[in-house]
Amino acid sequence: MSQKDAPRVRAARMTGRERREQLVAVGRRLFAEKGYDATSVEEIAARAKVSKPIVYEHFGGKEGLYAVVVDREVSTLLAALEASLQDQRTHPRLLMEQAAMAFLSYIDEHEDGFRILVRDSPVTQAGGTFSALLTDVARRTEHILVAQFRLRSYPTRDAPLYAQMLVGMVAYTGQWWLETRSPAKEVVAARMVNLSWHGLGALEKKPELSGRPIG
């Protein structure tokens, strides 16, 4: 049999689940590269080598695909942070170190996902945003601070505020480190914990503005 007469082998057709995962991977990459607004269903379909109706069939449109991508990234990051804070018997400084490393490791290993999370979500996206995620993490951090404040006779009512400050510092530093990638994440984590731990260690119980000019 000549090569011309040989039967043509068809590429294996994707199952519905495989196609869905392919579209999630394609959408994830495009949302990270261009953002939600600049990404179109046409581009998603073209990158996946499918027709537009296939995207609508699986996700109902761009917003549905985006929601799946964001939900997965939030779950991945939150799971890593929860694991780092799980054992409340661990010394609080070590908990801080573990949480900082978990956050930076997520950025290091899921760069596209983190870029998506820190971008603005579409107006119709009710949940799963980066700010909502940080609020959730702050609530968990708050419990650690309450226990430490009680040991030191500090007012526990201040714990939610300090928790927001700590989480904000880690999140903002993480965004900066995403672009610089220097120094190493272990060094960044150590510096963050150094500032937060020693800052907490020297807290005044009733801080007030001095009212004096600086300089």
Side-chain angles (χ1 to χ4, degrees), residues 79-96:
L81 290 170
E82 285 180 336
S84 72
L85 298 172
Q86 190 170 20
D87 190 353
Q88 296 298 304
R89 297 168 300 178
T90 303
H91 193 281
R93 174 163 182 161
L94 183 56
L95 287 175
M96 286 176 137

Side-chain angles (χ1 to χ4, degrees), residues 22-32 39 44 65 69 116:
Q22 181 212 21
L23 290 171
V24 169
V26 168
R28 183 177 184 271
R29 185 60 185 166
L30 283 170
F31 291 137
T39 299
I44 294 167
L65 175 56
V69 171
I116 292 167

Side-chain angles (χ1 to χ4, degrees), residues 130-171:
F130 190 55
S131 59
L133 171 67
L134 294 181
T135 298
D136 198 2
V137 174
R139 289 196 193 101
R140 287 161 168 75
T141 307
E142 182 182 326
H143 295 303
I144 300 172
L145 293 182
V146 166
Q148 293 302 307
F149 280 17
R150 282 177 179 154
L151 286 174
R152 293 165 172 77
S153 299
Y154 293 137
T156 56
R157 67 176 180 273
D158 289 342
L161 176 59
Y162 284 109
Q164 291 288 340
M165 292 176 184
L166 286 172
V167 171
M169 177 183 71
V170 174

Side-chain angles (χ1 to χ4, degrees), residues 151-210:
L151 286 174
R152 293 165 172 77
S153 299
Y154 293 137
T156 56
R157 67 176 180 273
D158 289 342
L161 176 59
Y162 284 109
Q164 291 288 340
M165 292 176 184
L166 286 172
V167 171
M169 177 183 71
V170 174
Y172 187 81
T173 303
Q175 293 181 57
W176 168 81
W177 186 73
L178 174 65
E179 304 302 334
T180 62
R181 293 306 181 98
S182 177
K185 62 185 176 184
E186 292 82 4
V187 175
V188 177
R191 299 296 186 272
M192 285 196 293
V193 173
N194 183 43
L195 175 61
S196 57
W197 180 255
H198 289 291
L200 288 171
L203 282 183
E204 296 176 342
K205 293 182 180 179
K206 293 183 179 180
E208 293 181 359
L209 298 178
S210 67

Side-chain angles (χ1 to χ4, degrees), residues 10-30:
R10 283 188 175 184
R13 186 176 180 179
M14 285 187 183
T15 65
R17 183 173 182 177
E18 288 170 339
R19 178 64 72 192
R20 182 180 175 85
E21 291 303 313
Q22 181 212 21
L23 290 171
V24 169
V26 168
R28 183 177 184 271
R29 185 60 185 166
L30 283 170

